[in-house]
Amino acid sequence: MFYTYLCFRIQFVRMMDNKKFEKIARALSDASRITILQQFKKKKGCLYCAEITELLDLTQPSVSHHLKQLVDADLLIPEKEGRNLKYVLNEEVLDDYISSLSALKD
Amino acid sequence: MFYTYLCFRIQFVRMMDNKKFEKIARALSDASRITILQQFKKKKGCLYCAEITELLDLTQPSVSHHLKQLVDADLLIPEKEGRNLKYVLNEEVLDDYISSLSALKD
DNA sequence: TTTAAATATTTAAATGTTTCGATGTATTTA
DNA sequence: TAAATACATCGAAACATTTAAATATTTAAA
Protein backbone atom coordinates (compact mmCIF):
# COMPACT_ATOMS: atom_id res chain seq x y z
CA MET A 1 0.00 0.00 0.00
CA PHE A 2 1.36 3.35 -1.08
CA TYR A 3 0.53 6.81 0.07
CA THR A 4 1.23 9.75 -2.11
CA TYR A 5 1.64 13.11 -0.50
CA LEU A 6 1.07 16.28 -2.39
CA CYS A 7 2.83 19.04 -0.51
CA PHE A 8 2.14 22.67 -1.19
CA ARG A 9 2.40 25.95 0.55
CA ILE A 10 -0.26 28.60 0.72
CA GLN A 11 1.24 32.04 0.57
CA PHE A 12 -0.96 34.82 1.81
CA VAL A 13 0.04 37.68 -0.42
CA ARG A 14 -0.63 41.08 1.01
CA MET A 15 -1.46 43.15 -2.03
CA MET A 16 0.99 46.00 -2.39
CA ASP A 17 0.13 49.42 -3.81
CA ASN A 18 2.38 51.18 -6.34
CA LYS A 19 3.73 53.65 -3.78
CA LYS A 20 4.96 50.78 -1.65
CA PHE A 21 6.36 48.92 -4.65
CA GLU A 22 8.22 52.05 -5.75
CA LYS A 23 9.71 52.52 -2.29
CA ILE A 24 11.00 48.96 -2.15
CA ALA A 25 12.46 49.16 -5.66
CA ARG A 26 14.21 52.40 -4.74
CA ALA A 27 15.60 50.85 -1.56
CA LEU A 28 17.01 48.04 -3.70
CA SER A 29 18.58 50.38 -6.26
CA ASP A 30 21.87 51.04 -4.49
CA ALA A 31 25.07 48.99 -4.43
CA SER A 32 25.67 49.43 -0.68
CA ARG A 33 22.15 48.38 0.21
CA ILE A 34 22.34 45.33 -2.05
CA THR A 35 25.58 44.35 -0.31
CA ILE A 36 23.86 44.73 3.05
CA LEU A 37 20.94 42.51 2.07
CA GLN A 38 23.25 39.85 0.68
CA GLN A 39 25.05 39.60 4.01
CA PHE A 40 21.88 38.40 5.70
CA LYS A 41 22.13 35.14 3.75
CA LYS A 42 25.44 34.43 5.48
CA LYS A 43 24.14 35.31 8.93
CA LYS A 44 20.84 33.43 9.06
CA GLY A 45 18.67 36.47 8.44
CA CYS A 46 19.89 38.70 11.24
CA LEU A 47 22.74 41.18 11.48
CA TYR A 48 23.99 43.82 13.88
CA CYS A 49 24.43 47.43 12.90
CA ALA A 50 28.11 47.33 13.83
CA GLU A 51 28.74 44.31 11.58
CA ILE A 52 27.19 46.18 8.68
CA THR A 53 29.31 49.27 9.32
CA GLU A 54 32.47 47.15 9.27
CA LEU A 55 31.39 45.54 6.03
CA LEU A 56 30.80 48.71 4.06
CA ASP A 57 33.79 51.06 3.69
CA LEU A 58 31.50 53.98 4.45
CA THR A 59 31.25 56.25 7.47
CA GLN A 60 28.80 55.44 10.23
CA PRO A 61 26.32 58.21 9.26
CA SER A 62 26.22 56.91 5.68
CA VAL A 63 25.55 53.37 6.82
CA SER A 64 22.85 54.69 9.12
CA HIS A 65 21.26 56.45 6.16
CA HIS A 66 21.22 53.27 4.06
CA LEU A 67 19.79 51.19 6.86
CA LYS A 68 17.04 53.77 7.28
CA GLN A 69 16.07 53.38 3.62
CA LEU A 70 15.82 49.61 4.06
CA VAL A 71 13.82 49.93 7.29
CA ASP A 72 11.48 52.55 5.78
CA ALA A 73 10.80 50.13 2.94
CA ASP A 74 10.08 47.41 5.55
CA LEU A 75 12.77 45.19 4.11
CA LEU A 76 14.54 45.18 7.47
CA ILE A 77 13.03 45.06 10.95
CA PRO A 78 15.12 46.84 13.61
CA GLU A 79 15.31 45.41 17.12
CA LYS A 80 16.96 47.36 19.87
CA GLU A 81 19.21 45.39 22.21
CA GLY A 82 20.66 47.66 24.82
CA ARG A 83 22.79 50.11 22.93
CA ASN A 84 23.13 47.78 19.98
CA LEU A 85 20.73 47.41 17.09
CA LYS A 86 19.86 44.12 15.46
CA TYR A 87 18.27 43.96 12.03
CA VAL A 88 16.12 41.07 10.83
CA LEU A 89 15.38 40.47 7.16
CA ASN A 90 11.65 40.79 6.46
CA GLU A 91 11.07 37.87 4.12
CA GLU A 92 7.32 38.49 3.95
CA VAL A 93 7.76 41.91 2.38
CA LEU A 94 10.31 40.43 0.00
CA ASP A 95 7.73 37.80 -0.97
CA ASP A 96 5.06 40.45 -1.48
CA TYR A 97 7.40 42.41 -3.72
CA ILE A 98 8.20 39.26 -5.69
CA SER A 99 4.47 38.58 -6.07
CA SER A 100 3.91 42.07 -7.44
CA LEU A 101 6.68 41.51 -9.96
CA SER A 102 5.22 38.16 -10.99
CA ALA A 103 1.84 39.83 -11.45
CA LEU A 104 3.34 41.99 -14.19
CA LYS A 105 3.67 38.87 -16.33
CA ASP A 106 0.06 37.56 -16.22
CA MET B 1 -5.04 1.66 -14.71
CA PHE B 2 -4.00 5.18 -13.69
CA TYR B 3 -1.20 7.31 -14.90
CA THR B 4 0.07 10.12 -12.79
CA TYR B 5 1.86 12.98 -14.46
CA LEU B 6 4.27 15.15 -12.59
CA CYS B 7 4.62 18.38 -14.51
CA PHE B 8 7.38 20.83 -13.84
CA ARG B 9 9.22 23.56 -15.57
CA ILE B 10 12.96 23.99 -15.68
CA GLN B 11 13.89 27.64 -15.53
CA PHE B 12 17.34 28.47 -16.74
CA VAL B 13 18.30 31.33 -14.52
CA ARG B 14 20.94 33.57 -15.95
CA MET B 15 22.89 34.67 -12.91
CA MET B 16 22.73 38.42 -12.56
CA ASP B 17 25.50 40.59 -11.14
CA ASN B 18 24.85 43.35 -8.62
CA LYS B 19 25.32 46.12 -11.19
CA LYS B 20 22.55 44.63 -13.31
CA PHE B 21 20.31 44.05 -10.30
CA GLU B 22 20.79 47.67 -9.22
CA LYS B 23 19.93 48.94 -12.69
CA ILE B 24 16.70 46.95 -12.82
CA ALA B 25 15.69 48.02 -9.31
CA ARG B 26 16.31 51.65 -10.24
CA ALA B 27 14.27 51.29 -13.43
CA LEU B 28 11.42 49.95 -11.28
CA SER B 29 11.64 52.77 -8.73
CA ASP B 30 9.48 55.33 -10.49
CA ALA B 31 5.70 55.72 -10.55
CA SER B 32 5.50 56.43 -14.29
CA ARG B 33 7.60 53.42 -15.18
CA ILE B 34 5.57 51.15 -12.91
CA THR B 35 2.41 52.38 -14.65
CA ILE B 36 3.98 51.62 -18.01
CA LEU B 37 4.89 48.07 -17.03
CA GLN B 38 1.44 47.40 -15.60
CA GLN B 39 -0.14 48.33 -18.92
CA PHE B 40 1.57 45.41 -20.62
CA LYS B 41 -0.63 43.00 -18.68
CA LYS B 42 -3.68 44.50 -20.41
CA LYS B 43 -2.11 44.39 -23.86
CA LYS B 44 -0.70 40.87 -23.98
CA GLY B 45 2.89 41.89 -23.37
CA CYS B 46 3.30 44.40 -26.18
CA LEU B 47 2.61 48.13 -26.41
CA TYR B 48 3.27 50.96 -28.83
CA CYS B 49 5.18 54.06 -27.83
CA ALA B 50 2.23 56.26 -28.79
CA GLU B 51 -0.12 54.30 -26.50
CA ILE B 52 2.27 54.82 -23.62
CA THR B 53 2.54 58.55 -24.28
CA GLU B 54 -1.27 58.86 -24.23
CA LEU B 55 -1.40 56.93 -20.99
CA LEU B 56 1.02 59.07 -19.03
CA ASP B 57 0.15 62.76 -18.65
CA LEU B 58 3.77 63.63 -19.38
CA THR B 59 5.36 65.26 -22.41
CA GLN B 60 6.73 63.07 -25.19
CA PRO B 61 10.41 63.66 -24.26
CA SER B 62 9.73 62.61 -20.67
CA VAL B 63 8.03 59.42 -21.79
CA SER B 64 10.93 58.77 -24.14
CA HIS B 65 13.31 59.16 -21.20
CA HIS B 66 11.38 56.67 -19.05
CA LEU B 67 11.18 54.14 -21.86
CA LYS B 68 14.94 54.45 -22.30
CA GLN B 69 15.45 53.55 -18.63
CA LEU B 70 13.33 50.44 -19.04
CA VAL B 71 15.07 49.44 -22.27
CA ASP B 72 18.53 50.04 -20.78
CA ALA B 73 17.57 47.73 -17.91
CA ASP B 74 16.45 45.15 -20.52
CA LEU B 75 12.95 45.08 -19.06
CA LEU B 76 11.55 46.16 -22.42
CA ILE B 77 12.66 45.11 -25.88
CA PRO B 78 12.11 47.78 -28.56
CA GLU B 79 11.03 46.75 -32.07
CA LYS B 80 10.92 49.30 -34.79
CA GLU B 81 7.92 49.14 -37.13
CA GLY B 82 8.20 51.85 -39.76
CA ARG B 83 8.07 55.09 -37.87
CA ASN B 84 6.35 53.47 -34.91
CA LEU B 85 8.03 51.70 -32.05
CA LYS B 86 6.68 48.59 -30.40
CA TYR B 87 7.84 47.49 -26.96
CA VAL B 88 7.74 43.91 -25.76
CA LEU B 89 7.97 42.99 -22.09
CA ASN B 90 11.10 40.93 -21.38
CA GLU B 91 9.76 38.28 -19.04
CA GLU B 92 13.08 36.46 -18.88
CA VAL B 93 14.86 39.41 -17.31
CA LEU B 94 11.96 39.84 -14.94
CA ASP B 95 12.35 36.17 -13.96
CA ASP B 96 16.08 36.60 -13.44
CA TYR B 97 15.47 39.60 -11.22
CA ILE B 98 12.89 37.63 -9.23
CA SER B 99 15.40 34.77 -8.85
CA SER B 100 18.01 37.18 -7.48
CA LEU B 101 15.48 38.46 -4.97
CA SER B 102 14.54 34.93 -3.91
CA ALA B 103 18.23 34.15 -3.46
CA LEU B 104 18.39 36.79 -0.72
CA LYS B 105 16.21 34.56 1.42
CA ASP B 106 18.23 31.33 1.32
C1' DT C 1 10.92 65.89 -52.95
C1' DT C 2 8.54 68.50 -49.81
C1' DT C 3 5.67 67.73 -45.85
C1' DA C 4 3.97 65.45 -41.91
C1' DA C 5 4.27 62.07 -38.12
C1' DA C 6 6.76 59.47 -34.61
C1' DT C 7 10.41 59.29 -31.69
C1' DA C 8 15.11 60.85 -29.90
C1' DT C 9 18.42 64.21 -28.19
C1' DT C 10 20.01 68.46 -26.09
C1' DT C 11 19.79 71.88 -22.59
C1' DA C 12 18.53 73.72 -18.39
C1' DA C 13 15.85 74.14 -14.13
C1' DA C 14 14.08 71.91 -10.19
C1' DT C 15 14.40 68.34 -7.17
C1' DG C 16 16.27 64.16 -4.94
C1' DT C 17 20.20 61.17 -3.35
C1' DT C 18 24.61 60.08 -1.41
C1' DT C 19 28.24 61.12 1.44
C1' DC C 20 30.83 63.01 5.31
C1' DG C 21 32.04 65.93 9.36
C1' DA C 22 30.12 67.68 13.33
C1' DT C 23 27.04 67.11 16.80
C1' DG C 24 23.16 64.97 19.48
C1' DT C 25 20.95 61.16 22.16
C1' DA C 26 20.51 56.96 24.53
C1' DT C 27 22.59 53.35 27.16
C1' DT C 28 26.13 50.99 29.52
C1' DT C 29 30.27 50.86 32.28
C1' DA C 30 33.76 52.81 35.43
C1' DT D 1 27.83 60.81 38.12
C1' DA D 2 31.37 60.93 34.51
C1' DA D 3 33.16 58.71 30.59
C1' DA D 4 32.65 55.62 26.83
C1' DT D 5 30.00 53.19 23.30
C1' DA D 6 26.47 52.71 19.72
C1' DC D 7 23.64 54.82 16.78
C1' DA D 8 20.89 58.97 14.84
C1' DT D 9 20.38 63.58 13.03
C1' DC D 10 21.83 67.94 10.92
C1' DG D 11 24.03 70.68 7.40
C1' DA D 12 26.39 71.09 3.32
C1' DA D 13 28.82 69.55 -0.88
C1' DA D 14 28.79 66.61 -4.84
C1' DC D 15 26.22 64.16 -7.88
C1' DA D 16 22.03 62.03 -10.16
C1' DT D 17 17.24 62.15 -11.72
C1' DT D 18 13.07 64.12 -13.50
C1' DT D 19 10.84 67.18 -16.37
C1' DA D 20 9.80 70.27 -20.27
C1' DA D 21 10.92 73.35 -24.17
C1' DA D 22 13.43 73.46 -28.24
C1' DT D 23 15.38 71.04 -31.78
C1' DA D 24 17.03 66.97 -34.43
C1' DT D 25 16.33 62.54 -36.72
C1' DT D 26 13.97 58.96 -39.08
C1' DT D 27 10.39 57.25 -41.87
C1' DA D 28 6.08 57.47 -44.51
C1' DA D 29 2.87 59.90 -47.28
C1' DA D 30 1.55 63.51 -50.57
Side-chain angles (χ1 to χ4, degrees):
Chain A
M1 190 68 174
F2 293 101
Y3 294 93
T4 303
Y5 292 97
L6 175 61
C7 299
F8 58 94
R9 188 172 71 95
I10 297 177
Q11 190 196 331
F12 291 97
V13 177
R14 290 147 295 275
M15 203 43 201
M16 178 177 284
D17 65 13
N18 285 2
K19 264 277 178 294
K20 178 87 183 158
F21 181 94
E22 182 184 341
K23 193 161 199 173
I24 294 173
R26 187 171 299 278
L28 294 169
S29 71
D30 176 274
S32 300
R33 295 194 290 267
I34 293 168
T35 302
I36 293 172
L37 291 175
Q38 286 171 338
Q39 276 296 307
F40 280 88
K41 196 164 37 180
K42 297 173 186 163
K43 298 291 177 98
K44 295 177 187 169
C46 95
L47 266 176
Y48 285 85
C49 186
E51 294 180 281
I52 297 169
T53 304
E54 278 176 46
L55 175 75
L56 277 189
D57 203 31
L58 283 177
T59 61
Q60 177 268 316
S62 296
V63 175
S64 190
H65 159 77
H66 286 304
L67 287 168
K68 186 164 159 40
Q69 308 286 109
L70 292 169
V71 170
D72 287 353
D74 291 320
L75 287 165
L76 296 185
I77 300 163
E79 287 177 19
K80 203 150 195 207
E81 287 188 357
R83 60 184 170 187
N84 299 311
L85 194 41
K86 186 172 80 175
Y87 290 100
V88 177
L89 185 64
N90 191 347
E91 300 201 354
E92 292 186 357
V93 166
L94 211 49
D95 280 330
D96 295 347
Y97 179 63
I98 288 171
S99 295
S100 295
L101 286 164
S102 297
L104 292 174
K105 293 188 296 171
D106 297 341
Chain B
M1 190 67 173
F2 293 100
Y3 294 95
T4 302
Y5 292 98
L6 176 61
C7 299
F8 58 93
R9 189 170 72 94
I10 297 175
Q11 190 196 329
F12 291 98
V13 176
R14 288 147 295 276
M15 204 41 200
M16 178 177 286
D17 65 12
N18 285 1
K19 264 281 180 287
K20 176 88 184 160
F21 181 94
E22 183 183 342
K23 193 160 201 175
I24 293 173
R26 187 171 299 277
L28 293 170
S29 72
D30 175 275
S32 300
R33 294 193 290 268
I34 294 168
T35 301
I36 292 171
L37 291 175
Q38 286 171 337
Q39 276 295 307
F40 281 88
K41 196 164 37 180
K42 296 174 187 162
K43 298 291 178 95
K44 296 176 187 168
C46 95
L47 266 176
Y48 284 86
C49 184
E51 295 180 281
I52 297 169
T53 304
E54 279 175 46
L55 177 74
L56 277 188
D57 203 32
L58 282 177
T59 60
Q60 177 267 319
S62 295
V63 175
S64 189
H65 160 76
H66 287 303
L67 288 168
K68 187 164 158 40
Q69 309 287 108
L70 292 169
V71 170
D72 286 353
D74 290 321
L75 287 165
L76 296 186
I77 301 162
E79 288 178 18
K80 204 144 197 213
E81 288 188 355
R83 60 184 169 185
N84 299 311
L85 193 42
K86 188 172 79 175
Y87 290 100
V88 178
L89 184 65
N90 191 348
E91 300 200 355
E92 291 186 358
V93 166
L94 211 49
D95 280 329
D96 295 347
Y97 180 62
I98 288 172
S99 295
S100 295
L101 287 164
S102 296
L104 292 174
K105 293 189 297 172
D106 296 341

